[in-house]
Amino acid sequence: MARGSCRRHPLVVLLLPLLLAMVPESTQLQSSQTWSLLKIQQLLNYPPVLRTWGNTTDFCYGGDYKTASAFVECYGDSVTQLHIMGPGAGPLPKTFSVDAFFTTLTRLPDLRVLTLTGLGLWGPLPGKVSRLASLEIVNVSGNYLYGQLPEGLSRLSSLQTFIADDNLLSGELPAWLGKLPSLAVLSLRNNSLQGTLPESVRDMGSLRSLTLACNNLSGAVPDMSALTNLQVVDLANNSLGPAFPRLGRKVASVVLSGNRFGNGLPAEEVASFYLLERLDVSRNRFVGPFPPALLSLPSIEYLSVAGNRLTGLLAANMSCGENLRFVDVSSNLLTGTLPSCLAARAAAAASKVTLLAASNCLSGTPAAGTQHPALFCQNQALAVGIVPVQSRGGGGKGKSKAVVVGGSIAAAFAAAALVGVAAFVAARKAAVRRAKARPPRRLVEHAAASSMSMSVSGAYPSQLLADARYISQTVKLQGALGIPAYRSFSLVELEAATNNFEVSRLMGQDAHGQMYRGTLSNGTDVTIRSLRVAARRGGGQGQAAFNRHVEMISRLRHRHLVSALGHCFEYNLDDATVTQLFLVFEYVHNGNLRSRISQGTEGRKLPWVQRISAAIGVAKGIQFLHGGIMPGLFANNLKITNILLDQNLVAKIGSYNIPILAETAKSEGGGGGSKYPSSDRVPNGDKIDIYDFGVILLEVITGRPITSIHEVEIMKEQLQSAVTSESPGRRRVLVDQAASRACSDESARTVMEICLRCLAKEPAQRPSVEDVLWNLQFAAQVQDDWRGDSRSTTSEESPLSPSQIPMDPIISRTDA
């Protein structure tokens, strides 16, 4: 054989180094990165999802350690993806350091994808995340990260996706968001972000999905019409508005529900969204005609305009898009009849089309549901200043004539309405005892009565709130409260609900007015508070002030408050001043907390687990009053007799310091007013509530009614002695006998300690409400662990496990 046959081909010689370079040098991960992964496991307190990790784990190529909830991807001998998805447990212990955790992460320099969800991480997101310069996708949802977004994120030039839903992030959205050239997905749902959207949003040319729902954002939305890649916009449940945002024509999903968007819907602009599949503008303040073009958008599948003040005449011959599967036009001022294309689809036996149209003034089809008479919608339209839109065609005299005729008709209608109302008032004055010799009046329903609370989830997954030394912001409330939407009521409705405010319905009376129990036409029990209002001249100022008050009241909706359902104004016909205000609240059926603590009979008293649950509920209600609405409500004169329990034993604060009560008391001379009539100016107002909560907690622990400050001081000394004692028996003897049999010592000690801190004499020494929540939920957690260990020997079981305690991931704010 010729020698030449053994020579290497020149091309092989050239390619061999390249081919060798493409082969991984090792099938083992770098030892430093293996150490880093095991250190991460340690810092996360060895969560169950990482139970397969160990010193011998081959993270890159072993395969056996990988689960759906935790795995690592490598390139060569370096980690490029890290995915750890926890079950959504409470915060990690106080020894956890988020700074040390991210320091360890930075030892994985080639990391491109990072998923750390539901692990209980808490603390401010460190700026050193910028050291992970290769990051492209980050998901840290479902943790307890708080504080502002660190500027270090702006240096991640390759970042394409950043998701931090369900955390406690606060502050304003930073202007440097526009400096992220590759960012396509930004999702910060359910945090505590405040302020306006930065104008730099319009510079995010790569943005495809923007989700900022369930925050405290306010003000106008920047012009995003130049963002040609934008497809998904979800800004629900904030306080944004009033102008409908300008968006690119390629948007596929636009969710703006639960905001302050108003005026008319821009029909021409929305009709140009030829790819739009989902449009939700419910629970806003839109007025004017309903644009029929919305129904016929070529791609539309989901359409909701519920809870606005849209008017217009629907007709059977209107056209509908072929893909429509859900339409909700309920609670508007629509007249006419439903389009046959919708009604027919909804009525079909095998149809998957949902059609909601109740609480309008429609006729002609059962699919419309319960409707108001046509006169109702006409009155409402006049009350909020909506007049029929005139045809744009023609001009000159013809147009002027049309306007004159329309104005004449409106004026005639208004005059007729006033005559009718005046006649009604005259009759009522003869029949109702409390209508004594006052000027003729009329009922005008408040224009802004469609102001809604934020939508929050009914599941309420259990969450453990972190110490205030680490978490300083309020938590957000998710999902549905299970109560009707906030609305305005007519006086006729309230009279029917209370049988003309008869004495048997009277629940109580104070300096502000009376409180009645009522039942609405749909069977809902309500509490109706009637407030006497001092006469105010210069009706415009008075109306504006009451509008502000009602705006505040409409936000008082939370799982742990007796929530506001609506209101009704009465006006003086002569000068349009407000003479009477009715506030409608939910009615809570199950008595107050004291009735199940210190006054309950054996068998009715709450066990320890449910006492902690109730205390957590009260604390979360306080947290909402302080930070879930703007401005917050402080110095609420909290008492255990004002803590009500619903049918599921969920605690609700039944009385709080609504500003209009203080203002009414002041205008009437100050008699019988609030304990703190100007709560927003009371020094340490938040600490006053914490002290009052400490008194409630003292009664929850001991089961003894507290009726004086002297009793508080005596029991504080007993509590201090029990806490410092090494004997569990000293603590057990202080706990109410009805609850002590199934109470762990560590849980009792934790509750006693936080109770003592709440009762500190110096306000500065009292904890924040977040600190209180941390300790109470820790007490619930150790109690759960203790019950799990002793379940076989413990006879007293609570139907509500601490892991099922309804927690508001929060919480909520209903500032939207």
Side-chain angles (χ1 to χ4, degrees):
M1 181 180 293
R3 291 173 61 88
S5 62
C6 295
R7 294 174 61 189
R8 292 187 179 92
H9 194 282
L11 185 60
V12 174
V13 174
L14 292 173
L15 292 177
L16 184 60
L18 181 61
L19 293 171
L20 291 174
M22 296 175 63
V23 178
E25 295 180 7
S26 170
T27 58
Q28 291 293 324
L29 185 63
Q30 297 176 35
S31 58
S32 63
Q33 297 199 17
T34 298
W35 178 90
S36 296
L37 291 173
L38 295 177
K39 182 66 175 177
I40 287 170
Q41 180 189 34
Q42 176 190 348
L43 292 172
L44 292 177
N45 202 27
Y46 300 97
V49 294
L50 300 183
R51 62 181 178 274
T52 59
W53 287 19
N55 291 325
T56 60
T57 300
D58 185 354
F59 288 100
C60 288
Y61 303 105
D64 294 340
Y65 82 96
K66 292 186 177 182
T67 66
S69 300
F71 59 94
V72 173
E73 297 290 343
C74 306
Y75 183 79
D77 60 354
S78 186
V79 173
T80 57
Q81 296 187 33
L82 173 60
H83 301 267
I84 308 175
M85 292 159 278
L92 290 166
K94 295 182 181 181
T95 54
F96 173 77
S97 169
V98 71
D99 191 72
F101 182 81
F102 273 85
T103 298
T104 304
L105 279 176
T106 59
R107 293 172 180 165
L108 306 174
D110 298 318
L111 200 60
R112 296 185 179 182
V113 180
L114 177 63
T115 303
L116 302 167
T117 61
L119 297 172
L121 305 176
W122 59 261
L125 190 63
K128 64 179 61 177
V129 69
S130 61
R131 299 180 190 175
L132 295 166
S134 300
L135 275 179
E136 297 175 358
I137 299 175
V138 177
N139 187 352
V140 290
S141 297
N143 290 292
Y144 299 86
L145 299 173
Y146 60 86
Q148 297 184 332
L149 291 173
E151 192 171 357
L153 286 172
S154 67
R155 295 190 283 274
L156 297 177
S157 58
S158 300
L159 189 63
Q160 299 173 19
T161 297
F162 182 73
I163 304 174
D165 298 339
D166 303 314
N167 279 282
L168 306 172
L169 298 172
S170 61
E172 297 188 358
L173 282 170
W176 49 253
L177 285 173
K179 298 180 181 179
L180 294 169
S182 304
L183 192 64
V185 177
L186 176 62
S187 186
L188 300 170
R189 174 191 295 273
N190 193 37
N191 281 278
S192 296
L193 298 170
Q194 300 173 352
T196 59
L197 295 182
E199 291 295 326
S200 59
V201 169
R202 67 176 71 187
D203 300 325
M204 302 172 70
S206 299
L207 194 63
R208 294 181 180 274
S209 177
L210 177 65
T211 302
L212 301 172
C214 302
N215 280 282
N216 301 322
L217 300 172
S218 59
V221 178
D223 186 344
M224 294 188 284
S225 58
L227 302 183
T228 56
N229 294 309
L230 189 61
Q231 298 175 8
V232 176
V233 178
D234 186 353
L235 304 176
N237 301 318
N238 284 284
S239 297
L240 297 166
F244 190 93
R246 297 194 62 191
L247 304 170
R249 295 181 61 190
K250 294 183 180 179
V251 288
S253 176
V254 177
V255 180
L256 306 175
S257 56
N259 277 282
R260 298 180 182 177
F261 294 107
N263 302 321
L265 277 171
E268 294 182 3
E269 181 179 349
V270 177
S272 69
F273 299 155
Y274 61 94
L275 296 178
L276 189 63
E277 298 175 357
R278 182 184 185 93
L279 177 63
D280 187 348
V281 294
S282 60
R283 297 180 292 111
N284 279 284
R285 303 173 179 180
F286 290 111
V287 298
F290 170 77
L294 296 181
L295 296 172
S296 57
L297 288 172
S299 303
I300 194 73
E301 298 177 2
Y302 182 105
L303 173 63
S304 178
V305 296
N308 287 284
R309 285 292 185 269
L310 296 174
T311 59
L313 185 68
L314 298 187
N317 60 355
M318 286 181 175
S319 59
C320 307
E322 295 181 357
N323 300 314
L324 263 180
R325 294 294 178 269
F326 181 95
V327 178
D328 188 355
V329 295
S330 57
S331 300
N332 281 284
L333 306 175
L334 301 174
T335 56
T337 184
L338 287 174
S340 56
C341 56
L342 285 178
R345 292 184 200 177
S351 173
K352 296 182 179 180
V353 174
T354 299
L355 173 60
L356 303 175
S359 299
N360 283 282
C361 298
L362 300 169
S363 61
T365 171
T370 303
Q371 299 292 315
H372 299 293
L375 191 61
F376 173 86
C377 290
Q378 295 167 346
N379 277 334
Q380 289 278 303
L382 288 171
V384 297
I386 304 171
V387 296
V389 177
Q390 305 302 327
S391 171
R392 297 188 181 184
K397 295 181 179 178
K399 183 174 182 179
S400 299
K401 184 176 180 181
V403 173
V404 171
V405 171
S408 300
I409 293 173
F413 190 92
L418 291 178
V419 170
V421 173
F424 169 79
V425 169
R428 181 177 181 271
K429 287 174 67 176
V432 181
R433 181 172 54 259
R434 63 187 187 82
K436 294 180 179 179
R438 56 188 177 187
R441 62 191 179 182
R442 63 182 173 183
L443 175 69
V444 180
E445 301 202 16
H446 178 42
S450 58
S451 174
M452 300 297 171
S453 69
M454 128 182 164
S455 224
V456 285
S457 110
Y460 296 104
S462 177
Q463 293 193 358
L464 186 60
L465 294 172
D467 191 297
R469 286 166 290 181
Y470 314 108
I471 296 180
S472 61
Q473 300 300 323
T474 57
V475 195
K476 308 265 322 175
L477 187 69
Q478 304 175 0
L481 286 172
I483 59 177
Y486 189 93
R487 68 181 179 91
S488 62
F489 288 85
S490 70
L491 187 57
V492 175
E493 287 181 278
L494 301 189
E495 287 179 326
T498 58
N499 196 17
N500 248 1
F501 295 97
E502 68 176 8
V503 176
S504 63
R505 299 296 186 100
L506 185 65
M507 298 171 62
Q509 183 169 343
D510 58 21
H512 306 295
Q514 298 81 31
M515 187 175 295
Y516 295 86
R517 178 177 176 179
T519 304
L520 301 180
S521 59
N522 62 2
T524 302
D525 289 330
V526 294
T527 299
I528 301 170
R529 186 160 194 171
S530 168
L531 301 179
R532 291 188 295 270
V533 179
R536 300 177 182 218
R537 301 298 167 186
Q541 272 191 328
Q543 179 63 53
F546 279 107
N547 287 354
R548 289 195 300 272
H549 286 309
V550 169
E551 182 73 21
M552 160 71 79
I553 292 166
S554 70
R555 287 176 169 72
L556 295 173
R557 296 164 64 80
H558 185 269
R559 178 176 174 83
H560 296 294
L561 295 185
V562 175
S563 297
L565 303 182
H567 71 276
C568 171
F569 280 151
E570 284 186 84
Y571 286 80
N572 186 305
L573 267 181
D574 294 336
D575 57 11
T577 56
V578 177
T579 59
Q580 192 92 353
L581 171 62
F582 298 93
L583 301 180
V584 183
F585 294 88
E586 61 177 324
Y587 180 82
V588 181
H589 293 262
N590 215 12
N592 62 49
L593 184 56
R594 174 172 281 177
S595 69
R596 302 299 295 271
I597 296 291
S598 57
Q599 294 179 343
T601 58
E602 193 67 28
R604 284 191 77 250
K605 284 191 173 185
L606 296 180
W608 184 250
V609 170
Q610 288 182 330
R611 293 182 188 218
I612 298 177
S613 174
I616 288 173
V618 177
K620 292 181 78 62
I622 296 171
Q623 185 187 42
F624 173 77
L625 291 172
H626 289 184
I629 52 177
M630 299 297 289
L633 301 182
F634 303 95
N636 289 284
N637 196 20
L638 301 168
K639 299 176 183 177
I640 194 169
T641 51
N642 285 336
I643 308 303
L644 307 180
L645 300 174
D646 69 7
Q647 65 273 18
N648 298 316
L649 298 180
V650 174
K652 294 175 178 285
I653 299 174
S655 178
Y656 29 87
N657 200 358
I658 304 174
I660 193 171
L661 300 181
E663 185 171 315
T664 302
K666 182 178 179 181
S667 66
E668 294 181 352
S674 168
K675 181 179 177 183
Y676 302 103
S678 301
S679 64
D680 56 332
R681 296 186 179 92
V682 173
N684 300 308
D686 56 335
K687 300 302 184 182
I688 292 172
D689 284 338
I690 293 298
Y691 183 89
D692 289 345
F693 177 76
V695 176
I696 293 172
L697 202 56
L698 194 58
E699 191 162 330
V700 166
I701 296 169
T702 64
R704 307 173 195 172
I706 310 294
T707 58
S708 69
I709 295 296
H710 178 65
E711 289 179 277
V712 173
E713 293 303 316
I714 292 175
M715 297 183 72
K716 271 177 61 179
E717 294 180 8
Q718 297 176 357
L719 217 60
Q720 185 65 54
S721 175
V723 166
T724 55
S725 173
E726 295 184 1
S727 169
R730 291 288 301 275
R731 288 179 286 278
R732 185 172 295 276
V733 75
L734 268 185
V735 177
D736 185 9
Q737 214 173 17
S740 62
R741 293 192 301 271
C743 169
S744 80
D745 181 59
E746 187 176 6
S747 179
R749 183 201 291 266
T750 302
V751 177
M752 289 178 180
E753 287 174 346
I754 195 62
C755 178
L756 284 171
R757 290 175 59 196
C758 290
L759 296 172
K761 287 187 177 180
E762 294 298 324
Q765 296 176 359
R766 297 170 196 162
S768 69
V769 67
E770 287 81 14
D771 199 354
V772 171
L773 282 165
W774 165 273
N775 283 273
L776 290 177
Q777 189 69 332
F778 178 77
Q781 189 176 47
V782 298
Q783 175 69 17
D784 197 22
D785 295 341
W786 179 83
R787 289 173 74 247
D789 293 339
S790 60
R791 192 175 298 275
S792 60
T793 59
T794 302
S795 60
E796 181 178 350
E797 294 292 342
S798 164
L800 186 63
S801 162
S803 62
Q804 298 171 314
I805 291 174
M807 298 296 293
D808 307 327
I810 101 112
I811 274 178
S812 143
R813 119 186 152 80
T814 39
D815 192 23

